[in-house]
Amino acid sequence: MSDTIHTIAFYPGSFDPLTNGHLNIIQRALRVFDQVVVAMAQNINKRAMFTLEERRALVQECFVDEPRVSVVMFDGLMVEAARLHRATAVLRGLRGVADFETEFQMATMNNVLAPALETVFMMTEKSHFFVSSHLVREVASLGGDISPLVPEPVNRALRARIVRK
Ligand code: ADP
């Protein structure tokens, strides 16, 4: 690292799949941070629709022209992974009061584990407040058009997945 200040946001989540809500948070974070590390949690209990590799490939495809975005996978404690990737902050998105409760708990726990690591919250843009990966998967599997809610590569992958079923 050079003498210039270098800020790295560590953005953890399941991204199953990446939605326009996630995309928007990453794009806006790039105005505030030098780098955004999209970090896919391997130890999630949720049943995933896409494998970690598929999810990683989709994020990479969406940011193919943006070298400041990278994708990593992590297992175990998030704060340890953030430290490993030299994060200056953890990035999280907030959609509403429902998110706030759990996010507040998680950020407080992480602050106990790693006091030097700040969590930075970005409020969702109003057009994305209702968008979640869970809802996108559900609507897509019922045949609904989710193209306005996800980037094109994700839309394509979802359609292919539903047709194959
Ligand atoms: P989800 O909660 O949709 O299953 P993730 O677990 O991958 O997604 O979430 C990772 C992070 O992205 C969390 O901080 C979550 O609050 C945030 N996020 C997810 N969807 C949106 C959205 N539509 N707008 C803003 N932030 C979001």
Side-chain angles (χ1 to χ4, degrees):
M1 204 161 69
S2 71
D3 286 347
T4 53
I5 296 168
H6 194 75
T7 52
I8 303 173
F10 189 83
Y11 184 31
S14 39
F15 307 100
D16 183 35
L18 184 82
T19 67
N20 284 344
H22 296 126
L23 198 86
N24 176 257
I25 294 288
I26 297 167
Q27 284 165 340
R28 285 162 53 208
L30 285 170
R31 295 192 210 133
V32 183
F33 295 94
D34 296 317
Q35 258 179 272
V36 175
V37 178
V38 178
M40 308 212 161
Q42 285 179 294
N43 55 352
I44 43 166
N45 299 322
K46 306 178 200 170
R47 256 179 57 119
M49 179 180 239
F50 292 99
T51 65
L52 277 166
E53 268 311 327
E54 289 169 331
R55 283 181 261 158
R56 187 221 293 257
L58 285 171
V59 178
Q60 282 172 335
E61 193 176 343
C62 295
F63 287 97
V64 70
D65 296 322
E66 183 45 88
R68 294 191 298 138
V69 174
S70 57
V71 189
V72 300
M73 293 170 187
F74 75 98
D75 212 353
L77 275 182
M78 188 275 290
V79 290
E80 287 302 326
R83 211 190 322 251
L84 193 76
H85 291 282
R86 301 173 188 281
T88 40
V90 171
L91 173 68
R92 298 289 289 175
L94 283 179
R95 280 162 291 194
V97 279
D99 273 353
F100 181 81
E101 188 73 35
T102 42
E103 293 292 341
F104 184 66
Q105 280 186 357
M106 263 197 297
T108 308
M109 176 59 82
N110 288 332
N111 181 258
V112 170
L113 296 170
L117 189 65
E118 284 298 333
T119 301
V120 171
F121 293 103
M122 277 197 168
M123 264 169 35
T124 185
E125 236 166 48
K126 57 186 177 306
S127 47
H128 303 305
F129 83 95
F130 64 99
V131 180
S132 72
S133 297
H134 168 78
L135 214 53
V136 160
R137 290 197 303 272
E138 196 161 306
V139 172
S141 60
L142 294 171
D145 176 17
I146 40 80
S147 59
L149 312 180
V150 295
E152 188 44 36
V154 174
N155 186 36
R156 247 184 284 124
L158 272 167
R159 289 164 75 104
R161 182 64 39 106
I162 305 306
V163 167
R164 261 213 327 268
K165 266 194 174 170

